[in-house]
Structures are given as structure tokens and as C-alpha cells.
Amino acid sequence: MPKAYLIAEHIITEPAIFEEYRVKVGPVIEKYGERYLAKRNAHQFLEGGHWEPHRVVVIEFPDKQSLAAWYNSPSTSHRLSCARKARAISTC
């Protein structure tokens, strides 16, 4: 089964609230077999362009079902609602 990826751009607007979210979300994601491929400031644009995110996160899941199970779980839903208070985000 092919892997699935969550790609998110974060623009942190409330650093303290986001840090609380960041610390708590790790163990929840790991439960679904994820692996971080990029986080924080690991991105680089070699040719420039119009997209200038502050932070990019790429998370690999074993499959689409694992990603959906994580995203739709009650614990993730609660944490994401808290995180939305701390950031402007675009998730693909």
C-alpha cells in the first residue's frame, strides 16, 4: 500500500500556545506510525518563488487510512482546534 503524506505550512502567531501544541501532538502522531520528514525550518527554496512559509512540516504515514485515522481522532481534533488559535496554517 502506498505511503501518505501530510504537508503543512505554519505561520506562528502565538508562540507559547503553539509550543504547547507541538509538545503534545508528537506522541499522538507516533501512535499512527508516522515519521517526520521535515519540520521547523528544514525547508529551502533554491529558485525563489512566491511561496514564503515560516515553517513547513512533512509527515509520512504508512497509508491513507493511517493519516485519516490520526486526523479524525478525537485527540487530534482537540489539539488541532487549540493549535489553530496559535497559527495561520495551510495543510495539503
Side-chain angles (χ1 to χ4, degrees):
M1 191 162 284
K3 306 237 183 236
Y5 300 88
L6 175 92
I7 302 169
E9 169 192 357
H10 302 296
I11 298 173
I12 311 302
T13 56
E14 298 290 338
I17 295 171
F18 186 80
E19 181 61 18
E20 183 179 330
Y21 158 77
R22 190 192 65 74
V23 169
K24 292 179 180 177
V25 77
V28 175
I29 291 175
E30 291 171 4
K31 185 168 102 174
Y32 293 92
E34 66 77 34
R35 181 170 74 108
Y36 280 98
L37 299 179
K39 58 185 175 178
R40 296 192 179 180
N41 297 321
H43 63 284
Q44 180 180 11
F45 297 98
L46 300 176
E47 296 189 13
H50 67 280
W51 187 46
E52 297 180 18
H54 295 188
R55 293 169 73 127
V56 174
V57 176
V58 179
I59 304 171
E60 178 185 79
F61 286 83
D63 50 47
K64 287 181 182 179
Q65 293 80 7
S66 298
L67 191 157
W70 167 77
Y71 190 82
N72 295 312
S73 72
S75 59
T76 298
S77 177
H78 171 71
R79 284 179 175 79
L80 287 176
S81 68
C82 293
R84 286 185 185 107
K85 297 173 187 171
R87 67 185 180 198
I89 183 170
S90 176
T91 305
C92 304

